[in-house]
Amino acid sequence: MRTPRPRLTAGLLLTPLLAGCFSSSGDDSSSGSSGSGEGGRISVALAFPPAENYSPYGQDAFGLSRLGVAEGLTHLDANGTAVPALAESWSSEQGGRSWVFTLRDATFQDGGEVTAKAVADALTHAAEADPAPAALSGVQLTAEAVGDDQVKVTTEDADPVLPLRLTNPSLAVFSPEAYGKDGKVNPVGTATGPFELTRITGDTAATLDRFDDYWGGRAQASGIDAKFVSDGTARANALRTGDVDIAESLPVAQVASLDKGTAHEINTARITSLYLNTQAGEFKDAGLRAAAREAIDTSAVAKGVFEGYAEPAKGLYGPALTWAAGKRTEPTGRAKAADPQSKSITIATYNDRPELAETAQVLQQQLEKAGFTVKLEVRTYARLESDLLAKKFDAAVVSRNMMLDTGDPVTVLASDYTCDGSYNLSFLCDRNVDKLVTTAQAESDPAKRQDAAMKAEAAILGADAVIPLVHLKIVTGIGASVQGALLDPYERDFVGIGTRS
């Protein structure tokens, strides 16, 4: 056992890259507080079923985070700041090439102690995962225990945003018992969060019980019953009938039918875009990509599909990121639009976010008017992801939170638009883009990092690899009896220790 240490109320925080950029549009019910009061179970409806059997190294990690199951060394607050989680403080060494994290006293849900060795091993497993977590795109990371209560994390190149990077749910820490010889991770009863995953019912439901030994205090709800409901109307109906207490990502068309005070909207860094496959199919031709861009009217999507809950996109970074507008530069070097000549293209999207299918239909009409022949492929995300990554479609309508991976404006560019990016749905491989992203990654000054990110954005848009459509607000349905539900602009937090009904 480690020698007990006094707990610190604050860590050595990384200078926030986005401090003050977000504001919550919820009321007091969106800001829970800790407490020890007894509460009943909470039922929630989530939009995205697990697509990878709850693997923490892909998108399922965000479900584990949103349900309060898993956490890492640091946590991202609403202002874009890295704050303490399993680490209570940290400091950098070697010009930012290594960071030392001092652990708090914490316990795994299987009863084991959170030791420096366990944390280092967990980060090593994440670094060696194939494919690598999006947060580690382009980053070579090693971790080692320093005594019983410190972990040293080193990167091949200086990484000024490492504390932010470690907030990503894909870098959550699990007990040694979670890691199998086949590289898979079993999160059932092996994490550190306030709620313990105790039962999984395929990809339809999960049962969570309160973890009474959580370091941050005892959760007020006794447990969570999670349902995965891809259909947005069904989620709204479940909230309306009282079948669930909280429902995420409600269709804008359903808001008017909800009881007064149950719909809570928040500005996010989420954007819906049309990704064009630059390596296979008709959009290998830059001229046809340019033709698609010129054919699309984003205002029709914002008004006709999102009914005021979105704004036409001017770039990848939207109005929720207040610094972006003043730093944006116009794309250059764009190809001249070619004649589509009835070229046949297939656009894929998923119906877990109901507006996406309708967006795809609007784009189909606009592109056909411009001379394309357009087919649509609509599935749940769980059934679509593998084919998206396998280059099976000409284009895809996808919703992406530009700050989701780390809260850093550069990280998503690396994962989504570089040659080695792990979530590169455009399959863009452009040396200039890679160079600009690499330059941005090396910047430690927040303002200069933002400037560099905008230069990379201009190059990406100049290649017509992606057509930004709209910047979104997210609507969460919260029952009148619920207190402490979390409205998070980064979409990582959903229920917490203060959430109760």
Side-chain angles (χ1 to χ4, degrees), residues 245-306:
D245 299 304
I246 312 173
E248 75 164 339
S249 190
L250 296 182
V252 296
Q254 295 293 320
V255 172
S257 65
L258 297 176
D259 291 341
K260 184 178 180 180
T262 59
H264 300 255
E265 67 180 66
I266 185 171
N267 289 313
T268 73
R270 180 168 291 279
I271 181 174
T272 293
S273 301
L274 180 67
Y275 292 78
L276 304 181
N277 186 342
T278 62
Q279 289 191 12
E282 301 297 345
F283 287 131
K284 287 178 64 177
D285 184 335
L288 291 178
R289 298 200 300 271
R293 169 177 46 81
E294 291 187 359
I296 290 174
D297 177 7
T298 58
S299 63
V301 176
K303 296 177 183 178
V305 177
F306 289 91

Side-chain angles (χ1 to χ4, degrees), residues 5-21:
R5 306 181 306 277
R7 292 183 176 178
L8 303 182
T9 57
L12 301 175
L13 304 184
L14 179 69
T15 301
L17 296 179
L18 299 173
C21 290

